[in-house]
């Protein structure tokens, strides 16, 4: 009390020894095949969370939680620059909710990112997700045949309401396809549950098409004769002498 206070000259506190890595920019949700937003950045830190700017540690990124069975592409290993590595070209090919990334470096405690989602990319093609099964002539084709709108990585495009048309592809019995042959996808999927073919044959296929999308051909299925119903002359009698 009664004395004038004093302020010292400036001094610096540097980071302690590198001990861990941490995600300082979290990965954000994006579409399959597109660069993960953020971009994810990993920092070398001391025990107090300070950036160790002298570090050039080699940091490797991998998928942690993998709800869609996806693969991580891009530059997966980078050397830190001034203690920081930014992974700007990472992508995941399969849609799913709740992916995480892990970051590791030799001698340092690893880190796990927050969760992020991968949505399907743009609609690109059709695919049979339930193939047609064998049936009897005139009966509903088993399965039933189900066609899905997918992106280029095989993810279902749940936003699609594309109009999908089925027709006979390979036609060993010269049959005709009956039923509702055109349907709009619901959540990216069209289920054709009332189709039938009236002629028996081995190795029929169905072709699926939609405007602007690559079509698909089903695996082969067989149509057998239905229940016995009538008699018919398959060879007509010809003229003869008495």
């Amino acid at each position: 009390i009664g004395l004038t206070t004093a302020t010292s000259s400036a001094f610096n506190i540097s980071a302690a020894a590198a001990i861990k890595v941490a995600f300082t920019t979290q990965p954000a949700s994006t579409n399959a095949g597109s660069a993960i937003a953020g971009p994810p950045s990993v920092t070398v830190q001391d025990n107090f969370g300070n950036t160790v700017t002298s570090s050039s540690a080699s940091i490797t990124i991998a998928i942690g939680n993998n709800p869609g069975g996806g693969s991580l592409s891009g530059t997966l290993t980078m050397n830190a620059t001034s203690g920081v590595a930014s992974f700007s070209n990472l992508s995941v090919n399969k849609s799913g909710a709740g992916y995480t990334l892990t970051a590791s470096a030799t001698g340092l405690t690893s880190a796990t990112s927050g969760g992020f989602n991968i949505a399907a990319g743009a609609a690109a093609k059709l695919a049979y997700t339930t193939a047609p099964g064998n049936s009897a002539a005139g009966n509903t084709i088993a399965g039933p045949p189900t066609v899905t709108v997918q992106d280029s990585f095989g993810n279902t495009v749940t936003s699609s309401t594309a109009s999908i048309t089925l027709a006979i592809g390979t036609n060993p019995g010269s049959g005709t396809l009956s039923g509702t042959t055109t349907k709009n996808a619901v959540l990216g999927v069209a289920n054709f549950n009332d189709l039938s073919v009236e002629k028996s044959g081995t190795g029929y296929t169905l072709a699926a098409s939609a405007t602007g999308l690559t079509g698909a051909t089903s695996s082969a299925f067989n149509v057998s004769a239905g229940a016995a119903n009538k008699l018919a002359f398959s060879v007509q009698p010809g003229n003869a002498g008495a």
Side-chain angles (χ1 to χ4, degrees):
I1 297 174
L3 302 179
T4 301
T5 58
T7 300
S8 74
S9 56
F11 63 99
N12 302 327
I13 301 292
S14 59
I19 195 170
K20 63 182 179 179
V21 292
F23 282 90
T24 45
T25 301
Q26 294 289 337
S29 300
T30 189
N31 292 332
S34 297
I36 297 173
S41 295
V42 179
T43 300
V44 179
Q45 296 181 340
D46 65 12
N47 194 44
F48 304 99
N50 300 301
T51 300
V52 182
T53 57
S54 61
S55 176
S56 58
S58 177
I59 301 172
T60 297
I61 295 286
I63 293 179
N65 191 44
N66 193 345
S71 297
L72 186 64
S73 298
T75 305
L76 307 183
T77 299
M78 295 183 68
N79 290 328
T81 301
S82 298
V84 180
S86 179
F87 294 84
S88 59
N89 67 348
L90 301 179
S91 64
V92 176
N93 63 333
K94 295 295 183 181
S95 58
Y99 278 96
T100 62
L101 298 178
T102 61
S104 59
T106 301
L108 303 179
T109 301
S110 60
T112 299
S113 75
F116 63 99
N117 302 329
I118 299 294
K125 63 181 180 177
L126 301 177
Y128 281 89
T129 44
T130 301
N134 299 331
S135 66
N139 289 356
T140 300
I141 297 173
T146 302
V147 179
T148 300
V149 180
Q150 298 182 338
D151 65 12
S152 58
F153 301 98
N155 300 299
T156 300
V157 182
T158 56
S159 60
S160 177
T161 58
S163 178
I164 301 171
T165 298
L166 293 194
I168 293 179
T170 303
N171 194 346
S174 298
T176 300
L177 186 64
S178 299
T180 306
T181 56
T182 298
K183 287 189 172 183
N184 289 328
V186 177
L187 298 177
V189 179
N191 184 284
F192 294 85
N193 57 5
D194 66 347
L195 300 180
S196 63
V197 175
E198 92 287 16
K199 296 293 186 182
S200 59
T202 300
Y204 278 97
T205 62
L206 296 179
S209 61
T211 301
L213 303 178
T214 301
T217 299
S218 75
S219 55
F221 64 100
N222 303 326
V223 175
S224 59
N229 177 263
K230 62 182 179 179
L231 299 176
F233 281 94
S234 52
V235 177
Q236 295 293 331
N239 298 330

